[in-house]
Amino acid sequence: MITTSFEIREITTKDEYARLNDVLWTANFHPYLPVFTACHSVTGHTPEDRSKDRALDTDIQWAAHVKNPASHLIYALDKATGRVAGGCEWWIFHENPFPNGPHSIPCTWYPEGSERAELASQFLSQAFFPRQCWLQRSHAGVNRMGVHPDYRRCGVGRLLMQWGHERIDEWGYESFIEASPMARWLYEACGYRRVMGLHIDLEKKDPGDEWERLTYECRPPGVLLLWRPPMGVWDEKVPTGPWAVTEETWK
Ligand SMILES: CC(C)(COP(=O)(O)OP(=O)(O)OC[C@H]1O[C@@H](n2cnc3c(N)ncnc32)[C@H](O)[C@@H]1OP(=O)(O)O)[C@@H](O)C(=O)NCCC(=O)NCCS
């Protein structure tokens, strides 16, 4: 068990993000997380594949971050060694991010028309569909959470969550997460409650070999939807779910 202190920093350069992304990939393959494979560029499992895929993913995620003013990439630095212990992306939407309602999410990292691209797009579109339908207002979310196995249960995840809560609580924003089953306990420890589990439907009529292989590698793609009301206060005003929030709810 490591007893050290951590500094939480917000990322400002691609080099910094590359360091964090190395840790995120390690975190998401220990243990193997099918959800991660479903929605990242994973072309193989040799060390060479891993390093090539991670580099491409760094390019993709950094480009998406730069385009998205709601995105804040943060990480925890081990103050004693300078190692990156973990990190995540916080989304803080000051306006409705889905003014045109729900839309499908394309996969840009696999060849267009391939079954790999189709599966990744289906996965992402279904996973984010509830957020797109229910959270058509200012709100926050957490994405790409990961802590290196060497630093688990040392409070790093909690610090990363606190960073966001300190900011969103000033604005009174709700927060919503599409979580892996493993991260559920962290989020519940930080004031979130489960809304429901999501079964991603990846059935396809007449699937090809690639589809069969990927649905095997990515199953069970359990996604848990978790929600935290403004300030994390669960009182009698909190409706049954984010779909039931009205303008009057938190007045
Ligand atoms: C989920 C994850 C980010 C947690 O990070 P962490 O730094 O170990 O979490 P913390 O030490 O801050 O834990 C805070 C609290 O959350 C709960 N918790 C965290 N991990 C837990 C686990 N594996 N089992 C049970 N409770 C857990 C505990 O209540 C813990 O407090 P405690 O240690 O005082 O009991 C880390 O396990 C991880 O990287 N997992 C793999 C990747 C992943 O699933 N990412 C999430 C994608 S949505």
Side-chain angles (χ1 to χ4, degrees):
M1 160 92 175
I2 293 173
T3 51
T4 187
S5 56
F6 301 95
E7 184 184 330
I8 304 298
R9 291 190 182 172
E10 183 161 3
I11 288 179
T12 56
T13 67
K14 188 174 173 187
D15 285 349
E16 252 179 321
Y17 181 61
R19 284 187 71 202
L20 169 60
N21 209 23
D22 283 357
V23 173
L24 295 181
W25 275 63
T26 303
N28 282 284
F29 281 101
H30 298 88
Y32 176 75
L33 194 63
V35 170
F36 188 86
T37 298
C39 45
H40 289 81
S41 170
V42 178
T43 59
H45 296 283
T46 66
E48 294 73 32
D49 295 329
R50 199 67 96 228
S51 126
K52 184 171 51 71
D53 291 344
R54 223 171 35 208
L56 174 62
D57 184 56
T58 299
D59 290 346
I60 292 168
Q61 302 297 339
W62 182 254
H65 162 74
V66 169
K67 272 202 311 206
N68 180 1
S71 164
H72 299 267
L73 294 165
I74 61 165
Y75 66 106
L77 196 72
D78 177 339
K79 288 209 263 187
T81 63
R83 266 180 86 186
V84 174
C88 69
E89 178 180 29
W90 266 95
W91 287 324
I92 304 180
F93 298 110
H94 293 293
E95 288 169 6
N96 172 10
F98 316 115
N100 303 319
H103 52 83
S104 67
I105 301 174
C107 164
T108 51
W109 54 92
Y110 292 137
E112 210 181 326
S114 66
E115 285 200 314
R116 287 187 296 179
E118 188 185 341
L119 186 127
S121 172
Q122 280 216 24
F123 189 96
L124 289 167
S125 302
Q126 288 182 46
F128 289 102
F129 183 71
R131 180 191 293 273
Q132 294 179 349
C133 293
W134 299 335
L135 280 297
Q136 295 191 13
R137 51 187 178 260
S138 309
H139 72 279
V142 178
N143 192 27
R144 300 181 66 72
M145 166 68 78
V147 171
H148 193 285
D150 291 350
Y151 288 98
R152 300 232 170 115
R153 300 302 287 268
C154 298
V156 172
R158 203 188 282 271
L159 287 173
L160 297 166
M161 295 304 292
Q162 264 166 17
W163 184 96
H165 293 155
E166 280 165 14
R167 281 152 186 83
I168 65 171
D169 286 351
E170 277 187 30
W171 292 297
Y173 292 169
E174 302 149 77
S175 181
F176 186 80
I177 307 180
E178 295 82 5
S180 71
M182 184 174 182
R184 169 206 193 139
W185 312 118
L186 166 66
Y187 300 136
E188 288 192 354
C190 294
Y192 290 72
R193 290 191 191 165
R194 188 203 59 213
V195 174
M196 63 177 66
L198 205 60
H199 169 78
I200 309 278
D201 171 22
L202 292 176
E203 295 308 317
K204 181 179 175 180
K205 198 175 172 198
D206 303 325
D209 288 354
E210 185 73 349
W211 192 274
E212 298 276 28
R213 183 182 66 79
L214 281 168
T215 47
Y216 178 76
E217 276 187 22
C218 301
R219 192 166 280 148
V223 174
L224 216 55
L225 305 180
L226 293 126
W227 185 44
R228 178 185 183 267
M231 320 294 289
V233 176
W234 288 94
D235 61 14
E236 70 289 346
K237 283 201 218 156
V238 178
T240 44
W243 56 84
V245 171
T246 65
E247 281 192 14
E248 305 303 310
T249 303
W250 282 296
K251 276 192 182 156

